[in-house]
Amino acid sequence: MKILHSLCDTRHFVNEIKKKGLSMGLVPTMGALHEGHLSLVRESKRQCDVTIVSIFVNPTQFGPKEDFKAYPRTMDEDSILLKKEGVDAIFSPSSDDMYPQDGLAATQVFVPELSTLYCGVSRPHFFNGVCMLVSRLFHCIPADKAFFGEKDFQQLTIIKKMVRDLLIPIHIVGCPLIREKNGLAMSSRNRYLSGPEFDEASRLYLALSEARQSFYNGETSSHILTTRIRSLLIRNGYINMDYCVLVNPVTLQEEAVARKGARLLVAGWIGKTRLIDTLML
Ligand code: AMP
């Protein structure tokens, strides 16, 4: 497994793959890898000849009061996991390579109508930073396919739109959300949770599942379904809700009437840890 740091080495590696006519899959991550990330890696290996995983804690997607400095960096453990999975290369660039200019002064990529909703309200920097980074990654590594988790459903939808709008010739593959045994969506930030918080966090999935069951029992009012989720989550005040919505999976606009295929999206804080989750009806 190659570890690529410089853009020059990366371009050379990528060109060699192209010359051989091999297909290339890219899995962008911020490291601190878990089974959710590895599921993307396995899907890339299933669909592509060569798999490259990028590991970069992207400064432009963190707000000034967010956890950029504290975000877990576990390169050694990550490399071992990826080697075991048979990954061909890790791309781990420096901030100076990704952002030769100061992040804020650099060219921005912004998907206005989708980036200002939901997570974009409480994290106004977030999707702008994600799009700045992912568009740069796609230029460094012109993969055939790039793999993203449905866990970050708004992010996945925004990246699909960015790729369409900017005519980037990479196929975006959405992969299913992987959960802990208690139902909590796996996330690098779960390691911030204390034992009781980890148990409490499983309520997110339980509440979403109950709402989905109500839908299958005949309830089609989006208002009733989302109100039910909120009341289940805030019952003992442990979870500080950010938002809970039922949306169209392509436009991300809120749906008044629930229908099969619509997406429940929920976000909240347990202590200082922000968690998101999603379930398809
Ligand atoms: P991150 O390192 O948090 O930026 O995530 C990198 C990629 O892994 C993103 O496409 C995420 O959506 C995906 N991912 C993170 N957690 C999960 C999960 N529990 N299940 C599936 N994909 C995930």
Side-chain angles (χ1 to χ4, degrees):
M1 184 177 71
K2 280 239 173 221
I3 311 271
L4 302 163
H5 293 294
S6 80
L7 295 183
C8 184
D9 288 352
T10 305
R11 290 209 175 100
H12 179 73
F13 181 81
V14 163
N15 286 341
E16 291 301 306
I17 294 165
K18 294 258 158 178
K19 266 193 226 153
K20 290 182 192 150
L22 300 173
S23 64
M24 203 188 322
L26 172 65
V27 181
T29 80
M30 297 208 297
L33 302 180
H34 50 67
E35 278 295 314
H37 298 111
L38 299 183
S39 72
L40 310 188
V41 168
R42 288 171 198 144
E43 193 53 30
S44 173
K45 284 194 56 80
R46 214 175 58 75
Q47 295 194 25
C48 304
D49 299 321
V50 172
T51 291
I52 304 176
V53 176
S54 66
I55 297 184
F56 181 67
V57 183
N58 175 29
T60 60
Q61 72 189 61
F62 288 79
K65 292 191 181 141
E66 292 183 348
D67 56 343
F68 174 67
K69 284 211 175 108
Y71 196 86
R73 287 158 173 87
T74 58
M75 190 62 182
D76 292 346
E77 291 94 319
D78 292 349
S79 306
I80 293 169
L81 287 174
L82 294 177
K83 196 165 177 192
K84 252 193 217 154
E85 294 295 328
V87 162
D88 298 276
I90 296 177
F91 175 51
S92 167
S94 69
S95 270
D96 286 346
D97 270 343
M98 283 291 99
Y99 298 109
Q101 271 209 298
D102 171 280
L104 289 176
T107 301
Q108 314 249 332
V109 183
F110 185 44
V111 184
E113 52 177 353
L114 300 181
S115 293
T116 48
L117 303 167
Y118 319 129
C119 283
V121 174
S122 55
R123 306 186 71 194
H125 299 265
F126 181 63
F127 292 117
N128 206 358
V130 168
C131 289
M132 279 170 85
L133 176 70
V134 173
S135 56
R136 283 161 172 76
L137 285 176
F138 287 173
H139 284 114
C140 301
I141 302 179
D144 298 278
K145 296 184 180 184
F147 296 80
F148 291 86
E150 287 179 351
K151 181 205 160 224
D152 298 274
F153 193 79
Q154 187 176 3
Q155 168 176 285
L156 170 64
T157 310
I158 288 171
I159 287 166
K160 281 183 178 164
K161 178 151 169 54
M162 176 188 79
V163 161
R164 263 200 319 274
D165 288 355
L166 296 181
L167 314 176
I168 300 175
I170 294 185
H171 178 69
I172 303 301
V173 182
C175 301
L177 194 163
I178 306 297
R179 297 182 179 281
E180 303 281 359
K181 280 208 183 78
N182 72 356
L184 173 64
M186 285 193 179
S187 161
S188 306
R189 288 194 169 94
N190 289 354
R191 62 185 79 198
Y192 298 155
L193 298 169
S194 67
E197 286 176 339
F198 183 86
D199 296 339
E200 190 64 24
S202 65
R203 279 164 170 266
L204 282 168
Y205 177 58
L206 290 180
L208 290 173
S209 304
E210 278 206 36
R212 183 167 65 177
Q213 194 53 50
S214 305
F215 168 70
Y216 280 107
N217 292 342
E219 181 56 70
T220 58
S221 158
S222 164
H223 179 71
I224 290 176
L225 293 173
T226 53
T227 305
R228 188 155 169 66
I229 294 171
R230 281 170 193 278
S231 62
L232 283 168
L233 287 177
I234 59 183
R235 191 176 287 160
N236 66 4
Y238 229 104
I239 297 181
N240 186 3
M241 287 293 295
D242 183 357
Y243 63 80
C244 174
V245 284
L246 180 74
V247 302
N248 176 298
V250 178
T251 64
L252 294 185
Q253 296 304 307
E254 284 192 58
E255 303 258 46
V257 180
R259 58 174 186 81
K260 208 166 176 317
R263 274 270 161 186
L264 286 163
L265 305 178
V266 64
W269 289 267
I270 293 196
K272 286 190 174 153
T273 308
R274 190 164 189 284
L275 300 172
I276 60 173
D277 204 336
T278 178
L279 204 61
M280 185 172 74
L281 292 184

